[in-house]
């Protein structure tokens, strides 16, 4: 479920220059590998309201990011996302605008694939309406929304290309075709469409549109009536937004998509055309069985019986024999949080870390990958979800990227929750328990990625001291806050946790009681000046939470 962002309230802020490692200058890695690598900590402010105008887009870096998707192509990481910007600064300047980066830290603006709605959307919509016995909606009366693309590098016919699947949502009422801002007409609003485009020149914003892929579909035939605007029983079974795209090790291509309605659909594609492998037919049926045989099997649902559940934005990757399916929970403004499940088969069933069957809708899934949080001396972040997950080129490092929103009222700005900064975070793969060292699950690190060099082994002695510990637990629309944790030199701990701790320097795994967390170096973005510190992230299969922490330096 996506929203528009209307207000502009420019708050003047001074740019703060932050540097790292307790020095007033960029640092190096100390030559541990025989060379010195210059390292500069990012200096951009999280509150970008002073540069939010369209004319400042080349200064945005990761400002104005929403629902990102990332693919590596011709030496750059290209990122595209939902049409959303603070104060709607990007309105009228093209759809699915993007950014590109060589290092995942510094990003430049790039244009999106098109400026106007593709003509096929209105044609497809009115063709469906005609078959439903409904009058066409004049093209200039159709209300569009542009949401949540996914981009992947694929090889087609020996040519390496970028392939993008994108969502276009129609807001008009089904019965009358009237604007959704008009009087309620007793029906649901119209359907969403997923289209596709391809490019060999994303830097030049040159894309070829390939048209219709799928659309929202119903198992209720032509009964699109709605009792009232407070009726959330959903005419559409599958909501055709938020696609993710994967090529399996066997070379099969699939989309997984869906948002808020009945769950996530898995649709197999023709690897050459990128279109559905089988004919879809009319996007309605008299039963769920009939519908899903054409429009895709349901591979996941938060609640099996719900037609309006708070889960959306599937993202799927394959690693070490498992398909990992990440998803967003709850409303996107504050409570947005991320979960992950996995399966050995692309079609499922998908299970969480506790063994709950997500495909069967057996309840909320764990682990928590991200959640609203707040370290000390900061405003913290909310609305951290709808992620993409990708592997850094020629490495074994995996990354999580989403937007993070500032809470309301930051710097006196009542609309600061509409400020969305792109967050790139490393994923760590953490044991499910102390007795299952090889049962690894992905958790995002608590601090954003800044390409900190490898300064050498993280030793046990370097972890002794005071940390900010967050019990990252599910609490609807509430930021989990940090409390003090002290790791004592004698192997005991006090404060947020008590008992004993130990550390495996080879695996970079810190055991806090019965929870194993993974330790890395990252930048303390909340410090003044920003500086390098140690962070950790991890979980335990019965914890129903995640541990996040960073060391005070």
């Amino acid at each position: 479920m996506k929203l528009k962002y209307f207000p502009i309230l420019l708050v003047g802020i001074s740019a703060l220059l932050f540097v790292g490692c307790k020095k007033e200058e960029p640092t190096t890695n100390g030559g541990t590998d025989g060379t010195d690598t210059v390292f500069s900590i990012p200096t951009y402010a999280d509150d970008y309201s002073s540069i939010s105008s369209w004319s400042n887009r080349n200064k945005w870096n990761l400002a104005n990011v929403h629902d990102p998707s990332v693919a590596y192509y011709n030496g750059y990481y290209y990122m595209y996302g939902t049409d959303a910007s603070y104060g709607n600064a990007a309105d009228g300047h093209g759809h699915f605008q993007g950014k590109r980066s060589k290092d995942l830290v510094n990003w430049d603006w790039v244009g999106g694939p098109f400026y106007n709605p593709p003509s096929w959307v209105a044609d497809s919509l009115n063709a469906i309406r005609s078959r439903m016995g409904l009058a066409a909606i004049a093209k200039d009366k159709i209300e569009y929304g542009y949401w949540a693309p996914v981009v992947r590098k694929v090889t087609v016919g020996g040519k390496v290309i970028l392939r993008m699947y994108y969502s276009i949502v129609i807001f008009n009422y089904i019965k009358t075709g009237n604007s959704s801002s008009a009087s309620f007409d007793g029906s649901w609003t119209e359907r969403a469409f997923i289209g596709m485009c391809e490019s060999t020149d994303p830097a030049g914003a040159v894309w070829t549109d390939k048209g219709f892929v799928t659309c929202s579909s119903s198992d209720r035939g032509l009964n699109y009536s709605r009792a009232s605007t407070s009726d959330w029983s959903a005419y559409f079974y599958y909501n055709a937004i938020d696609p993710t795209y994967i090529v399996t090790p066997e070379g099969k291509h699939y989309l997984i998509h869906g948002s808020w309605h009945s769950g996530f659909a898995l649709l197999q594609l023709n690897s050459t055309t990128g279109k559905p492998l089988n004919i879809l037919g009319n996007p309605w049926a008299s039963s769920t069985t009939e519908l899903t045989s054409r429009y895709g099997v349901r591979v996941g649902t938060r609640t099996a019986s719900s037609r309006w559940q708070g889960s959306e934005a599937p993202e799927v990757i394959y690693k070490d024999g498992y398909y990992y399916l990440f998803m967003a929970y709850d409303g996107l403004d504050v409570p947005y949080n991320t979960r992950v499940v996995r399966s050995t088969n692309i079609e499922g069933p998908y299970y969480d870390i506790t063994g709950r069957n997500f495909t069967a809708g057996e309840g909320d899934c764990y682990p928590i990958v991200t959640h609203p949080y707040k370290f000390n001396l900061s405003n913290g972040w909310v609305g951290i979800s709808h992620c993409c997950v990708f592997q850094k080129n020629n490495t074994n490092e995996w990354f999580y990227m989403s937007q993070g929103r500032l809470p309301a009222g930051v710097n006196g700005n009542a609309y600061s929750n509409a400020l969305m900064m792109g967050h790139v975070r490393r994923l760590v793969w953490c044991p499910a328990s102390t007795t299952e060292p090889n049962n690894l699950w992905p958790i995002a690190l608590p601090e954003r990625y800044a390409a900190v060099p490898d300064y050498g082994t993280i030793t046990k002695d370097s972890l002794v001291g005071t940390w900010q510990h967050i019990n990252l637990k599910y609490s609807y629309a509430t930021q989990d806050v940090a409390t003090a944790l002290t790791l004592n030199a004698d192997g005991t701990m006090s404060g947020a946790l008590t008992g004993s701790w130990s550390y495996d320097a080879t695996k970079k795994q810190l055991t806090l009681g019965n929870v194993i967390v993974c330790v890395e170096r990252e930048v303390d973005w909340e410090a003044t000046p920003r500086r390098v510190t140690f962070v950790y992230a991890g979980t335990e299969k019965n914890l129903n939470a995640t541990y996040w922490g960073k060391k005070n330096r």
Side-chain angles (χ1 to χ4, degrees):
M1 189 183 210
K2 307 293 178 280
L3 302 175
K4 294 284 282 182
Y5 307 94
F6 296 101
I8 301 178
L9 180 59
L10 297 181
V11 178
I13 56 175
S14 298
L16 298 177
L17 298 178
F18 298 106
V19 293
C21 279
K22 303 181 182 179
K23 295 183 180 180
E24 298 298 321
E25 59 191 7
T27 63
T28 71
N29 68 1
T32 55
D33 58 357
T35 63
D36 284 339
T37 301
V38 175
F39 166 55
S40 297
I41 291 177
T43 61
Y44 58 81
D46 291 329
D47 181 346
Y48 61 85
S49 54
S50 65
I51 59 166
S52 62
S53 66
W54 178 249
S55 62
N56 282 315
R57 65 188 178 279
N58 290 324
K59 301 178 183 179
W60 285 352
N61 201 323
L62 283 173
N64 284 331
V65 167
H66 190 42
D67 306 338
S69 182
V70 175
Y72 184 80
Y73 187 77
N74 282 355
Y76 287 89
Y77 297 91
Y78 283 87
M79 182 271 291
Y80 300 89
T82 291
D83 280 14
S85 56
Y86 182 66
N88 296 327
D91 275 10
H93 296 284
H95 300 297
F96 308 119
Q97 298 161 53
K99 303 174 191 291
R100 72 173 188 171
S101 173
K102 282 187 173 291
D103 59 8
L104 299 176
V105 178
N106 302 290
W107 296 78
D108 298 315
W109 179 89
V110 294
F114 47 79
Y115 278 77
N116 299 308
S119 59
W120 68 261
V121 179
D123 294 341
S124 296
L125 172 68
N126 283 325
I128 292 170
R129 289 180 62 85
S130 176
R131 297 198 299 272
M132 294 176 69
L134 297 166
I137 305 174
K139 290 186 178 182
D140 63 348
K141 300 297 183 183
I142 297 175
E143 298 178 331
Y144 299 94
Y146 302 87
W147 296 348
V150 61
V151 62
R152 297 283 191 264
K153 181 172 69 174
V154 295
T155 301
V156 179
K159 181 185 293 185
V160 180
I161 64 171
L162 281 187
R163 176 174 283 173
M164 178 192 293
Y165 293 90
Y166 56 85
S167 308
I168 296 184
V169 185
I170 309 300
F171 299 118
N172 304 68
Y173 284 120
I174 296 175
K175 182 178 179 179
T176 59
N178 290 341
S179 166
S180 58
S181 61
S183 298
F184 176 60
D185 72 355
S187 71
W188 290 86
T189 52
E190 265 291 1
R191 67 195 67 238
F193 292 87
I194 293 176
M196 186 190 76
C197 56
E198 296 176 340
S199 178
T200 57
D201 183 16
V206 179
W207 293 79
T208 301
D209 193 75
K210 299 291 185 176
F212 175 93
V213 176
T214 188
C215 66
S216 299
S217 53
S218 177
D219 60 341
R220 293 180 172 175
L222 301 181
N223 182 16
Y224 46 78
S225 62
R226 188 181 188 188
S228 69
T229 54
S230 59
D231 172 11
W232 298 106
S233 60
Y235 169 60
F236 295 112
Y237 187 80
Y238 288 143
N239 192 12
I241 66 170
D242 298 351
T244 183
Y245 174 35
I246 189 169
V247 180
T248 69
E250 299 78 25
K252 294 182 178 180
H253 293 228
Y254 292 91
L255 278 188
I256 299 178
H257 69 271
S259 169
W260 281 77
H261 290 202
S262 295
F264 301 151
L266 175 76
L267 182 65
Q268 189 170 359
L269 306 170
N270 180 298
S271 60
T272 301
T273 66
K275 298 297 185 70
L277 186 65
N278 300 310
I279 297 173
L280 298 178
N282 285 327
W284 67 83
S286 58
S287 69
T288 301
T289 300
E290 179 189 352
L291 181 76
T292 57
S293 67
R294 294 184 285 114
Y295 275 79
V297 298
R298 187 168 76 173
V299 294
T301 178
R302 185 172 177 180
T303 308
S305 60
S306 173
R307 298 295 292 244
W308 192 253
Q309 53 190 294
S311 62
E312 64 176 4
E315 169 74 331
V316 64
I317 65 166
Y318 180 81
K319 183 180 186 295
D320 299 336
Y322 288 101
Y323 295 93
Y324 289 87
L325 180 62
F326 298 78
M327 75 201 84
Y329 269 20
D330 304 327
L332 72 168
D333 53 350
V334 174
Y336 234 17
N337 61 101
T338 309
R339 310 299 177 96
V340 64
V341 292
R342 72 185 185 188
S343 174
T344 56
N345 190 316
I346 187 65
E347 294 187 359
Y350 287 84
Y351 295 95
D352 83 341
I353 196 171
T354 72
R356 293 184 185 95
N357 187 331
F358 174 64
T359 300
E362 290 184 351
D364 284 359
C365 295
Y366 292 89
I368 293 172
V369 182
T370 63
H371 189 276
Y373 73 98
K374 182 181 183 299
F375 281 118
N376 299 338
L377 305 178
S378 73
N379 299 295
W381 294 94
V382 298
I384 314 164
S385 198
H386 195 130
C387 70
C388 64
V389 177
F390 59 95
Q391 195 169 5
K392 190 175 182 181
N393 191 51
N394 293 324
T395 75
N396 290 321
E397 290 184 284
W398 287 86
F399 288 80
Y400 168 107
M401 185 178 187
S402 74
Q403 72 283 339
R405 293 170 177 265
L406 291 176
V410 172
N411 293 326
N413 183 353
Y415 307 112
S416 57
N417 188 230
L419 290 163
M420 293 174 291
M421 181 66 73
H423 286 199
V424 179
R425 300 168 185 269
R426 280 190 291 171
L427 284 175
V428 288
W429 298 82
C430 304
S433 71
T434 55
T435 61
E436 300 171 279
N438 298 317
N439 182 9
L440 303 180
W441 288 80
I443 305 291
L445 288 176
E447 292 285 10
R448 289 166 282 167
Y449 179 69
V452 176
D454 182 0
Y455 291 102
T457 300
I458 300 174
T459 64
K460 180 178 180 180
D461 289 345
S462 67
L463 304 184
V464 173
T466 303
W467 294 69
Q468 293 183 45
H469 174 81
I470 298 179
N471 183 10
L472 202 69
K473 62 185 183 301
Y474 182 47
S475 180
Y476 186 86
T478 301
Q479 290 176 282
D480 292 322
V481 300
T483 53
L485 169 66
T486 300
L487 300 185
N488 301 306
D490 64 359
T492 62
M493 53 186 179
S494 57
L497 302 172
T498 58
S500 61
W501 68 278
S502 61
Y503 179 63
D504 184 330
T506 302
K507 295 182 178 180
K508 293 192 290 186
Q509 291 180 355
L510 169 64
T511 302
L512 303 173
N514 67 339
V515 178
I516 299 175
V517 297
C518 299
V519 180
E520 296 288 352
R521 289 184 179 93
E522 278 297 356
V523 164
D524 184 342
W525 288 72
E526 291 81 20
T528 305
R530 290 172 178 165
R531 58 200 177 201
V532 175
T533 190
F534 298 117
V535 298
Y536 61 68
T539 190
E540 200 277 335
K541 66 180 182 180
N542 297 311
L543 186 64
N544 285 352
T546 288
Y547 281 176
W548 271 5
K550 71 174 178 182
K551 190 179 182 188
N552 295 333
R553 299 295 291 271

